[in-house]
Amino acid sequence: MAEFNETIHQPVRLRIMAALVALEPSDEVDFTYLRDLLGVTDGNLGAHLYKLEGAGYIAINKTFIERKPRTYVAATAEGRKAFQEHVAALESILKGE
Amino acid sequence: MAEFNETIHQPVRLRIMAALVALEPSDEVDFTYLRDLLGVTDGNLGAHLYKLEGAGYIAINKTFIERKPRTYVAATAEGRKAFQEHVAALESILKGE
């Protein structure tokens, strides 16, 4: 059976990973885009991103654009793999396997 | 969008509900069967069943068979509905909707 992933299962993180994995591997999203998509606060999103980064599932890229700080987020190859495995584990559970 | 259900999303409870919803509406399962299926302790399973019962998602039937206490568990109609809605919400998320 595919591996059920407690880190990814948490609702906000599941939605973050689903949004990132849907992108092309080389694409990243803006912090504020994710925050508005998920309807969470800056602090809440930051905490979940920190957890996902710690697990090696996302890469966070902080930069400046026109002197303003911007944060971009992308799924890593490891994060994509863990997400796909978690989805497979979920599907097994939901089918009652 | 279908309703994401925090009570059902918890991993052990998701597996309990999936197992119960897979049965015929009139069927129930033995506590020990569920415990062994999920590989959890009596105390852990009891706590999750209590939470699901409190939400109205399962019915718990305590009885005696040959003077030994037995506990049976079944999904309620409300529980089946909440589970199906949660699965639909999960599917939307996993598709990146």
Side-chain angles (χ1 to χ4, degrees):
Chain A
M1 186 168 154
E3 195 171 350
F4 189 96
N5 189 306
E6 298 270 357
T7 302
I8 293 176
H9 193 62
Q10 195 282 336
V12 176
R13 295 197 289 268
L14 189 69
R15 294 176 69 203
I16 292 169
M17 291 304 297
L20 296 179
V21 165
L23 302 174
E24 294 297 312
S26 58
D27 283 356
E28 53 189 9
V29 298
D30 191 275
F31 183 97
T32 56
Y33 167 82
L34 261 186
R35 181 197 63 200
D36 296 344
L37 178 72
L38 304 181
V40 294
T41 62
D42 282 6
N44 190 244
L45 179 57
H48 287 302
L49 292 179
Y50 183 77
K51 182 121 184 171
L52 289 170
E53 186 186 35
Y57 297 159
I58 65 168
I60 299 176
N61 175 21
K62 289 175 189 273
T63 185
F64 284 83
I65 294 182
E66 293 175 0
R67 294 184 192 165
K68 288 177 185 159
R70 296 286 286 271
T71 299
Y72 293 96
V73 184
T76 62
E78 187 182 348
R80 287 174 180 269
K81 184 165 175 288
F83 180 79
Q84 302 300 358
E85 283 207 12
H86 183 63
V87 171
L90 272 182
E91 285 171 348
S92 289
I93 291 169
L94 298 180
K95 280 186 221 154
E97 287 173 10
Chain B
M1 185 168 157
E3 195 173 349
F4 188 95
N5 189 307
E6 298 271 357
T7 301
I8 292 176
H9 192 62
Q10 194 283 335
V12 176
R13 295 196 289 268
L14 190 67
R15 295 176 68 205
I16 293 169
M17 290 305 296
L20 296 179
V21 165
L23 303 173
E24 294 296 311
S26 57
D27 283 356
E28 52 190 10
V29 297
D30 190 274
F31 182 96
T32 57
Y33 167 83
L34 262 185
R35 180 198 63 201
D36 297 343
L37 178 73
L38 304 180
V40 293
T41 62
D42 283 5
N44 191 245
L45 178 57
H48 288 303
L49 291 179
Y50 183 76
K51 182 119 182 174
L52 290 170
E53 186 186 34
Y57 297 159
I58 65 168
I60 299 176
N61 175 21
K62 289 175 189 275
T63 185
F64 284 84
I65 294 181
E66 292 174 359
R67 293 184 193 163
K68 288 177 185 158
R70 295 285 287 272
T71 299
Y72 293 95
V73 184
T76 62
E78 188 181 348
R80 287 174 180 270
K81 183 165 175 288
F83 179 79
Q84 303 301 359
E85 283 207 13
H86 183 62
V87 170
L90 273 182
E91 285 170 350
S92 290
I93 290 170
L94 298 179
K95 280 186 221 154
E97 285 173 10

